[in-house]
Amino acid sequence: MADKMLKITLVKSVSGRLAKQQKTVEALGLHKIGQTVVKKDNDCTRGMIFAVKHLVEVSEA
């Protein structure tokens, strides 16, 4: 059985946001608005998404 995957898309700019939020978005592998990455659905990834939930959109891949 394969692990669940999450599709994470950056929808708002990190410009002017807290440094911690900027680094979290970068750690997710996102650099430009509209960019999408696919990550494993685990507690670590969910925690990072929660910290920047106002900047990203998440769906199951």
Side-chain angles (χ1 to χ4, degrees), residues 13-60:
S13 173
V14 295
S15 187
R17 305 292 178 176
L18 297 173
K20 186 174 180 180
Q21 291 174 348
Q22 291 179 8
K23 289 180 182 184
T24 301
V25 169
E26 188 177 329
L28 284 167
L30 298 166
H31 302 286
K32 293 183 175 183
I33 295 175
Q35 183 180 3
T36 301
V37 294
V38 178
K39 298 282 185 182
K40 285 186 180 180
D41 184 1
N42 56 34
D43 291 340
C44 180
T45 305
R46 289 279 181 171
M48 289 195 289
I49 291 169
F50 183 78
V52 293
K53 63 181 181 268
H54 55 291
L55 304 176
V56 297
E57 279 184 356
V58 181
S59 61
E60 287 187 15

